[in-house]
Amino acid sequence: MLIRKAPDVRSSEITPKDVYLRRREFLQASAAAMVAAGFGALPGVSEAQARVKLKGPIKKSSFSTTEKVNLYEHVTSYNNFYEFGTDKTDPKANARNFKTTPWTLEVEGMVAKPAKYQLEDFIKPFALEERIYRMRCVEAWSMVIPWVGIPLKDVIDKVQPTGSAKFVEFITLHDTARMPYQKADILDWPYVEGLRLDEARHPLSILAVGIYDEVLPPQNGAPIRLVVPWKYGFKGGKSIAKIRFVDKQPRNTWQVMQASEYGFYANVNPQVDHPRWSQARERRLPDLLATTRTQMFNGYADQVASLYSGMDLRKNY
Ligand SMILES: Nc1nc2c(c(=O)[nH]1)N[C@H]1C(S)=C(S)[C@@H](COP(=O)(O)O)O[C@H]1N2
Ligand SMILES: [Mo]
């Protein structure tokens, strides 16, 4: 049986200390314990992943940036997806056999039409759009990604939240058999993200099902994930199994882990530093240095700043 070697634990300035320590404990587990926990069954990394064209038509969107798009290789080999490991290269290796069909998407909470949808039925009524967005991780790297998805607003209009709904939660699949690192105490599983309802209804917010006109690869959040381009990457919950409408501001996973460093709003803001590093610049992959100046709301200020008028964005980080 192939025993997957624990990745090197690099000392890191960017991982919150408690997460880092727990991750170390986890990685120090013996190889035997890893195999017992099911990690030994992970396949080798060398086999190529199948790439599948999306069934069209895919409409081009006027919301797309004209900046240079990243290579498929960058977008699919350098990921954050802790359900499949904590190093950037882990998700591609560990998620490659992640099964996404059938996939149930549950819509619940304060909504006129709660339902358990099969993903194909859920997606069918909507027109697919290509949205080329700048994406900015809180860890100060960035990419330009050609997403394919559906406007979140159209979904919300279809399921009809009630008048009391003020926020929407996006809840990742919780299945330790399919998401191996959910067996480890790394994050408070399942991963949860949330938006205010008006943010969710903003025309830039989408649910993505593809990249480069192809089916979303597992490491990028297959089969469906949230994309909110004016916010730090952690807002974009992957592999969503539940969408819940609520009246109170949800506690998103990274805020639960380290509230002083990760807020609910997570709007890209070069003027508000992360407690442990500056947010003024970013490293546009594959650059090695952070030479690109980070823009307010990741460059989407003209479209989204009005959502936050009158709010103190230093307090609401
Ligand atoms: N379920 C889940 N969603 C997640 C994460 C995660 O660990 N688990 N990481 C987030 C972070 S920190 C980032 S930067 C983006 C990365 O998305 P990408 O790999 O498609 O670039 O996914 C976000 N969504
Ligand atoms: Mo991130």
Side-chain angles (χ1 to χ4, degrees), residues 80 137-139 233-234:
N80 272 336
C137 177
V138 74
E139 294 165 307
F234 69 86

Side-chain angles (χ1 to χ4, degrees), residues 205-229:
S205 301
I206 60 167
L207 289 173
V209 295
I211 50 172
Y212 302 86
D213 289 359
E214 295 175 9
V215 170
L216 202 58
Q219 62 268 37
N220 292 89
I224 187 161
R225 58 91 51 89
L226 179 64
V227 177
V228 191

Side-chain angles (χ1 to χ4, degrees), residues 79-83 137 147 172 191 220 225 233-234 236-238:
N79 303 99
N80 272 336
F81 200 172
Y82 276 24
E83 287 83 343
C137 177
W147 300 107
T172 296
Y191 195 96
N220 292 89
R225 58 91 51 89
F234 69 86
K238 294 180 170 182

Side-chain angles (χ1 to χ4, degrees), residues 125-140:
F126 303 104
L128 292 181
E129 278 184 37
E130 183 190 64
R131 297 283 187 99
I132 305 172
Y133 282 160
R134 276 185 296 281
M135 302 302 294
R136 170 63 154 81
C137 177
V138 74
E139 294 165 307

